[in-house]
Amino acid sequence: MIDPSSPLSFYVLHRDPASLARTGELVTPHGTVRTPAFAGVATQATIKAVEPQALAAHGVQLLIANAYHLHLRPGEDAVAALGGLQRFSGWTGPTMTDSGGFQVFSLGAGKEHGVGKMGSIFPDAPAPSTRNRPSVPARSLVRLRERGAQFRSIVDGSLHEFTPESVVAIQRKLGADIVLPLDECTSPLHDRAYTRRAMERTHRWAQRGLDAFRESAADPALPNPAQALYGIVQGGAYRDLREESARFIGAMGFSGFAIGGSLGRSKDEMLQVLDWTVPLLPADRPRHLLGIGEIEDLFAAVRRGIDTLDCAAPTRLARNGGVLLRGERRHRINLRNARFERDDRPIDPSCDCFTCRHHSRAYLRHLCRAGELSFYRLATLHNLRFLVRLMQEIRAAIDEDRFDALVDAWSGSP
Ligand SMILES: [Zn+2]
């Protein structure tokens, strides 16, 4: 249980004796999230191609939208006037918003360095496009100062500024249950000295964000006065910096914590960052991992004590014809493959999603190859349901002290 003034309650239900994995309940003003859970990436206040009612029907518990994109379009004032994100979108469940720090990063240093979170991996945000927008410069769109970050809109090239205070104000108007402060994400190619300076700036920004958050708590005009603010741990792939950041941010009174930024150049480095960071955070508060992709990463993150994580994989993969299927290489098949041309079976006969209950691989392959819009929805629904069921399986295994055996069973697949 966290401090009584927080609108967010987190209860640890069971701890895995062999790792940091744990089950819990994250109680928000819009419902309870059973953890570990994945958050569907709803950058533009929607999971691409799927309406909110279908998400609920398929067991999705939590969405993460993006303050950067929603600030640019339609704007937080419009969302607030329409009752906040939940009323605006029709998704009535728990919601987070990411602050936009990663977008500032990915359009600035990340763009200059040509890298994302780990090498070439970016989250589900659309890449900056200069198509039909000749006024948008191709190089860094961002100027960082102590005060905040100035950037040009990827929508229309207009100039904007994010400060720790403005990012809180934007998210207050959007009204998600869990919001994040502005942080500066470094690239894996930044050296230690720069990464330290950025981390220290992120810490100063965290304090400013927390102050602004507390000062704005009582405004009755806000769509969701019961929001909670998480702190973000930075420090790149440097152990001492990550540890310092975890201790610093962990002591500041946030309702929970997100681990963000450059998670190293490889998956091993990402896992190391979790090994260094999570044990130093207050054990009674929830921990969120920002932006992971693969099924094996889910297991690895949960083992290291992550309670929620946002996962762009199911939606992005689905739109490219990839559907998740246990036992296949990387737990996926590509429906474009010729071997599915006459395949009358559902994607997964044991899956209870809408798609598997109604359609064959052969039909889905046809939709995919024909570029039919219905394919995006059908493939996305299956992948979301796959992850929902996987997280259920993970929670049950942790509760029954057999999480290791579950990990082994899944990694034993080809
Ligand atoms: Zn299915």
Side-chain angles (χ1 to χ4, degrees):
M1 179 76 182
I2 50 190
D3 82 74
S5 65
S6 172
L8 197 68
S9 301
F10 181 66
Y11 306 91
V12 174
L13 298 180
H14 192 80
R15 293 173 205 278
D16 178 34
S19 75
L20 293 181
R22 59 191 192 173
T23 55
E25 281 183 353
L26 184 59
V27 184
T28 81
H30 289 88
T32 296
V33 179
R34 292 284 326 275
T35 63
F38 87 92
V41 176
T43 302
Q44 301 278 9
T46 180
I47 286 195
K48 293 186 191 316
V50 180
E51 73 283 8
Q53 294 77 9
L55 300 177
H58 283 74
V60 173
Q61 300 189 80
L62 175 66
L63 295 186
I64 181 165
N66 190 283
Y68 170 91
H69 290 278
L70 295 170
H71 165 68
L72 296 181
R73 182 175 55 199
E76 62 277 10
D77 288 323
V79 174
L82 294 160
L85 272 178
Q86 273 99 349
R87 280 193 60 192
F88 177 55
S89 68
W91 163 259
T92 57
T95 304
M96 302 176 70
T97 39
D98 197 352
S99 66
F102 186 82
Q103 280 63 37
V104 168
F105 156 79
S106 64
L107 301 177
K111 190 167 175 64
E112 284 173 352
H113 291 171
V115 295
K117 196 153 286 186
M118 290 189 306
S120 64
I121 299 173
F122 278 89
D124 207 14
S129 164
T130 53
R131 190 160 43 98
N132 303 328
R133 293 169 197 141
S135 63
V136 178
R139 278 181 59 80
S140 174
L141 303 175
V142 176
R143 173 188 283 186
L144 273 177
R145 294 174 174 155
E146 182 64 21
R147 180 185 146 78
Q150 276 189 341
F151 58 92
R152 290 208 174 267
S153 163
I154 57 165
V155 176
D156 60 9
S158 57
L159 194 62
H160 295 253
E161 184 179 49
F162 272 2
T163 65
E165 293 81 12
S166 75
V167 158
V168 165
I170 289 167
Q171 293 179 96
R172 281 293 196 191
K173 289 179 177 176
L174 294 174
D177 301 300
I178 297 166
V179 303
L180 296 173
L182 183 65
D183 63 325
E184 180 186 351
C185 300
T186 50
S187 144
L189 303 184
H190 277 130
D191 63 15
R192 170 188 293 273
Y194 186 86
T195 305
R196 167 170 283 285
R197 285 202 301 279
M199 177 194 79
E200 288 170 351
R201 177 158 46 212
T202 290
H203 292 173
R204 291 190 295 274
W205 284 1
Q207 187 61 56
R208 283 168 57 191
L210 196 56
D211 292 344
F213 186 77
R214 286 174 173 158
E215 283 161 20
S216 58
D219 185 348
L222 296 169
N224 181 4
Q227 294 179 293
L229 182 67
Y230 278 18
I232 305 183
V233 178
Q234 287 288 354
Y238 299 99
R239 177 172 191 161
D240 56 334
L241 299 185
R242 282 285 173 182
E243 289 176 349
E244 190 178 327
S245 188
R247 287 199 182 94
F248 188 93
I249 297 290
M252 286 182 71
F254 289 106
S255 296
F257 302 95
I259 296 159
S262 161
L263 296 173
R265 297 176 196 227
S266 67
K267 204 163 285 190
D268 285 346
E269 285 190 17
M270 175 188 89
L271 300 180
Q272 265 191 338
V273 166
L274 294 181
D275 286 334
W276 299 331
T277 307
V278 171
L280 299 177
L281 295 171
D284 61 347
R285 296 181 206 189
R287 308 146 181 161
H288 182 86
L289 180 61
L290 287 157
I292 65 132
E294 301 270 340
I295 299 302
E296 64 185 69
D297 304 339
L298 284 173
F299 285 109
V302 167
R303 178 192 285 285
R304 286 163 177 80
I306 292 297
D307 302 302
T308 56
L309 36 83
D310 61 90
C311 190
T315 43
R316 188 170 46 211
L317 183 69
R319 295 195 302 278
N320 289 307
V323 288
L324 296 166
L325 184 59
R326 182 175 177 172
E328 298 290 328
R329 192 174 156 271
R330 298 171 75 199
H331 303 295
R332 62 175 71 166
I333 55 174
N334 196 309
L335 288 170
R336 293 175 184 276
N337 197 301
R339 70 185 159 118
F340 304 121
E341 188 173 7
R342 303 266 174 111
D343 192 334
D344 198 30
R345 294 171 294 171
I347 298 166
D348 177 355
S350 75
C351 178
D352 58 357
C353 82
F354 178 88
T355 309
C356 289
R357 282 187 283 118
H358 294 93
H359 299 294
S360 67
R361 296 174 181 184
Y363 180 63
L364 294 167
R365 174 174 186 271
H366 160 68
L367 294 179
C368 180
R369 294 180 74 233
E372 282 297 327
L373 300 183
S374 56
F375 177 76
Y376 297 127
R377 180 177 189 276
L378 293 169
T380 300
L381 281 177
H382 169 78
N383 283 2
L384 289 170
R385 184 65 189 153
F386 178 96
L387 280 183
V388 165
R389 294 173 79 211
L390 172 58
M391 298 314 284
Q392 282 171 350
E393 214 176 316
I394 286 175
R395 292 194 296 269
I398 294 170
D399 281 340
E400 293 161 18
D401 290 340
R402 51 178 181 80
F403 179 60
D404 265 351
L406 182 72
V407 175
D408 288 347
W410 276 75
S411 59
S413 304

